[in-house]
Structure formats: structure tokens, C-alpha cells
């Protein structure tokens, strides 16, 4: 496929074990950590928080072909997997000019600094709700609810590219109105209001958070992307980010079509062997998809129809 590795896509997922007992860290007599437990409870993407898991970081090409992966302890925050995986990949394949695309969970000031230190380009999703109000007002004013409009501003996390989508606006508006209606009903009924969006609590007094509502209205339909690619057009940056679905598709194939989880092993070496086999199977599946233009599900269905082969 003539992969050049100039741009890769990164994301993480979790795989749970058919067990309820997690691994313990090995500590010496002085209290120093010898080895970290691999099967640990953590934030589960499979809604299996009561079962131990591992975190998998996956790198794919722009075609969606899996080219590298890493295994982390189940309680590892996904943002901390980002730099080790990407730097390892860059060094292993001696890639000179590498751009990595990832979602908003990977962005932090330390990660941005590490990317720059390792001479890496990046396109990472931005949590625009965390921006300062003057920046939000500037972005909203410049985009002016024009479909497909885009703009950019400088921030401490790099260049921030934003675009407006009318379809996204309608979806965000519906969701916001549902949340406001829910908050208003809870206030009228005087129910327990913990962790309810658009409700502000001051001592024992609870009111509708009008400031947050106004801020949310300004961001309706707007999506942001951090990057250090100053010479690349906004449309290209946005297009690259939208191709992140290739990693999500790879995870769905691995979990559903290849039945990667649950995992029944408990020794680290056997777990790593299991993940390696699954990664190789995923690569074979993607090869068949690219060559035939058919999905893994369709290919597996046709293969299962064969009852005799010589």
C-alpha cells in the first residue's frame, strides 16, 4: 500500500477480563515499585468498571490500516499513553516528518510541550467549552453561524482552528434544550440536583446557571482543533481530524467481529500474546477490506458459508 507514515491516527480503548480480581503492584521491602499490575480497574469504555481491564493504544494509517499498538495498565489515564506510543513509533520507524491526529482526551500542556520537543506535528480535538469567554465570543462572532465557515486564533496550546456546521448546530441545540428542560423540572420538583448541567449551587441555594447557558449558546455548532501546522489550510486540518473514525472502526472490528474481549488469561506474557494475535488478525482483516472493498462482517459471513474446503 506504499504507506509513508507522514500522518497517523491514534486512539485508545479498553479490553476487560472475565474476572473480578485485579493484579497487585509488586513492591520491594523499601516500598519501591518493582512491577505495576497490568489487569487493573479503571475507566471502562465497555461499561465494565467492576472488572479489571487493560488499555490499548492503537496507531493506524490514513487508510485505517493498523501499524502499531501498545498495552498499558487498566488504570492508566488515556492522555498519558499518547506521547510514549507516538515517540516509540517515530523512533522505531525513523520517521522524519510525522503528524499525529488524536481526539481531545490526548491534549494537555505537558503533552503539547512533549510533541514540540520531539519535533512532532499534531492535530488534536479541542474542548472549546474550556476556553475563556472573550475567546469564545470572538470565535462565535467570526464564524457567525455560517455553514462550513472556519477561522483560527493563537492559544497557549497552539493554533486553534474552529469551524461551524449547521447540522451540528441543530443537534447541539436539541441537546441543550433537553438539558435545560431537565434542569428546570428538577428545580421545580426540588429533587437532588448533584451533577446536573445548567444548575448552579451556592451554599444551599440552587438556581438555573444562565451564564453557562449563554456560553453554551455561543458554542452551538462549533468544533475546535489544536494544531501546530501553521501553513496548512483550515479545511485540510478539519478533513484530517474527521478521518479519526478509522481508529474507531478498527476497535469495533476487533471487539465485535474478532471477539477480542473478554480476555480469559491472567499471566502478563499470555495476555500480550493474545493482544498480538488480535492485532495480526485485525491487520489481515483490513488487508482484505482494502483489497475487496467489502467489510469484515461481510467477509466473515461469506467464509462461514463454506462447509467443505480442500
Amino acid at each position: 500500500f506504499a504507506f509513508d507514515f507522514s500522518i497517523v491516527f491514534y486512539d485508545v480503548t479498553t479490553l476487560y477480563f472475565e474476572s473480578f480480581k485485579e493484579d497487585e503492584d509488586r513492591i520491594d521491602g523499601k516500598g519501591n515499585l518493582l512491577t505495576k499490575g497490568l489487569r487493573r480497574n479503571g475507566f471502562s469504555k465497555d461499561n465494565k468498571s467492576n472488572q479489571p481491564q487493560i488499555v490499548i493504544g492503537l496507531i493506524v494509517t490514513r487508510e485505517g490500516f493498523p501499524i502499531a499498538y501498545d498495552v498499558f495498565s487498566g488504570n492508566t489515564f488515556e492522555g498519558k499513553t499518547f506521547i510514549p506510543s507516538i515517540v516509540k513509533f517515530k523512533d522505531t520507524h525513523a520517521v522524519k516528518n510525522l503528524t499525529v491526529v488524536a481526539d481531545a482526551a490526548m491534549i494537555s500542556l505537558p503533552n503539547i510541550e512533549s510533541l514540540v520537543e520531539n519535533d512532532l506535528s499534531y492535530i488534536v480535538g479541542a474542548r472549546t467549552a474550556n476556553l475563556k469567554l472573550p475567546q469564545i465570543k470572538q470565535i462565535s462572532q467570526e464564524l457567525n453561524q455560517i455553514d462550513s465557515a472556519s477561522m483560527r486564533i493563537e492559544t497557549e496550546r497552539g493554533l486553534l482552528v474552529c469551524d461551524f456546521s449547521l447540522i451540528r448546530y441543530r443537534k447541539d441545540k436539541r441537546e441543550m434544550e433537553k438539558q435545560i428542560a431537565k434542569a428546570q423540572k428538577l428545580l421545580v420538583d426540588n429533587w437532588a440536583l448533584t451533577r446536573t448541567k445548567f444548575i448552579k449551587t451556592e451554599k444551599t441555594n440552587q438556581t438555573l446557571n444562565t451564564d453557562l447557558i449563554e456560553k453554551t449558546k455561543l458554542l452551538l455548532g462549533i468544533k475546535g482543533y489544536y494544531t501546530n501546522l501553521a501553513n496548512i489550510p483550515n479545511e485540510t486540518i478539519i478533513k484530517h481530524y474527521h478521518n479519526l473514525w478509522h481508529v474507531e472502526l478498527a476497535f469495533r472490528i476487533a471487539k465485535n467481529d474478532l471477539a477480542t474481549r473478554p480476555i480469559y488469561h491472567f499471566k502478563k506474557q499470555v495476555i500480550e500474546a493474545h493482544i498480538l494475535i488480535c492485532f495480526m488478525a485485525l491487520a489481515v482483516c483490513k488487508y482484505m477490506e482494502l483489497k475487496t472493498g467489502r467489510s469484515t462482517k461481510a467477509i466473515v459471513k461469506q467464509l462461514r458459508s463454506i462447509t467443505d474446503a480442500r
Side-chain angles (χ1 to χ4, degrees):
F1 296 111
F3 298 146
D4 60 6
F5 298 150
S6 61
I7 184 167
V8 297
F9 300 81
Y10 179 82
D11 203 354
V12 303
T13 193
T14 57
L15 301 176
Y16 67 92
F17 289 79
E18 196 59 44
S19 169
F20 292 92
K21 184 179 179 182
E22 59 180 344
D23 296 334
E24 295 181 357
D25 296 336
R26 287 184 57 217
I27 300 173
D28 63 16
K30 296 181 180 179
N32 298 316
L33 180 66
L34 297 176
T35 56
K36 190 177 179 182
L38 185 62
R39 304 183 308 160
R40 302 298 294 269
N41 290 350
F43 175 74
S44 173
K45 294 179 181 286
D46 296 311
N47 295 319
K48 297 283 185 178
S49 55
N50 60 335
Q51 293 175 243
Q53 63 180 20
I54 52 176
V55 175
I56 305 293
L58 181 67
I59 301 175
V60 306
T61 66
R62 69 181 76 196
E63 297 84 2
F65 197 95
I67 48 177
Y69 72 95
D70 275 299
V71 181
F72 301 91
S73 296
N75 59 353
T76 306
F77 172 60
E78 54 189 282
K80 291 188 177 179
T81 69
F82 186 40
I83 299 301
S85 295
I86 297 302
V87 171
K88 177 183 173 184
F89 175 79
K90 182 175 183 285
D91 294 342
T92 299
H93 297 283
V95 185
K96 292 183 179 179
N97 299 310
L98 178 65
T99 298
V100 57
V101 183
D103 68 18
M106 307 302 162
I107 196 74
S108 67
L109 284 175
N111 279 359
I112 292 294
E113 291 169 359
S114 296
L115 286 167
V116 174
E117 286 172 10
N118 288 280
D119 198 25
L120 289 161
S121 299
Y122 60 89
I123 301 171
V124 185
R127 291 192 171 101
T128 50
N130 294 339
L131 294 171
K132 296 174 183 177
L133 188 57
Q135 291 176 317
I136 292 174
K137 287 181 177 179
Q138 179 187 350
I139 293 166
S140 178
Q141 186 176 3
E142 287 195 34
L143 294 176
N144 198 27
Q145 295 188 355
I146 300 171
D147 195 26
S148 300
S150 65
M151 51 85 67
R152 57 176 64 191
I153 59 171
E154 287 289 346
T155 72
E156 59 182 1
R157 297 191 176 190
L159 191 65
L160 174 61
V161 175
C162 293
D163 75 321
F164 178 86
S165 164
L166 195 56
I167 295 174
R168 191 189 303 127
Y169 172 83
R170 290 168 181 159
K171 182 178 177 235
D172 292 348
K173 189 170 182 288
R174 283 195 303 270
E175 186 61 31
M176 181 192 70
E177 288 170 349
K178 282 168 57 179
Q179 290 173 331
I180 292 173
K182 178 184 176 182
Q184 289 171 333
K185 187 176 187 306
L186 288 171
L187 283 170
V188 171
D189 295 343
N190 199 25
W191 288 359
L193 305 176
T194 55
R195 292 187 177 182
T196 303
K197 194 172 182 180
F198 298 133
I199 288 181
K200 179 169 58 177
T201 303
E202 295 177 351
K203 296 181 181 180
T204 58
N205 186 34
Q206 292 172 323
T207 57
L208 203 62
N209 194 335
T210 53
D211 291 338
L212 182 57
I213 291 173
E214 290 305 313
K215 183 179 177 181
T216 305
K217 285 180 179 178
L218 291 171
L219 290 171
L220 291 176
I222 295 173
K223 175 73 178 172
Y225 321 86
Y226 286 115
T227 184
N228 58 349
L229 297 169
N231 298 323
I232 304 298
N234 295 346
E235 293 75 16
T236 304
I237 290 167
I238 295 165
K239 182 181 178 181
H240 282 323
Y241 184 83
H242 288 173
N243 283 331
L244 198 57
W245 65 267
H246 283 297
V247 197
E248 297 166 1
L249 177 62
F251 286 143
R252 283 199 297 272
I253 292 172
K255 290 183 175 183
N256 299 325
D257 298 308
L258 302 181
T260 303
R261 49 67 165 137
I263 305 173
Y264 296 91
H265 312 297
F266 59 93
K267 291 185 178 179
K268 182 179 179 182
Q269 188 176 15
V270 184
I271 293 168
E272 290 175 344
H274 170 79
I275 300 303
L276 172 61
I277 292 169
C278 293
F279 176 79
M280 293 166 66
L282 182 62
V284 171
C285 286
K286 196 61 193 179
Y287 177 86
M288 290 192 291
E289 283 190 353
L290 292 173
K291 285 295 184 180
T292 65
R294 304 185 68 184
S295 69
T296 294
K297 187 174 182 179
I299 293 169
V300 170
K301 184 178 179 180
Q302 186 166 355
L303 289 174
R304 281 178 174 167
S305 69
I306 300 171
T307 55
D308 187 80
R310 297 175 186 271

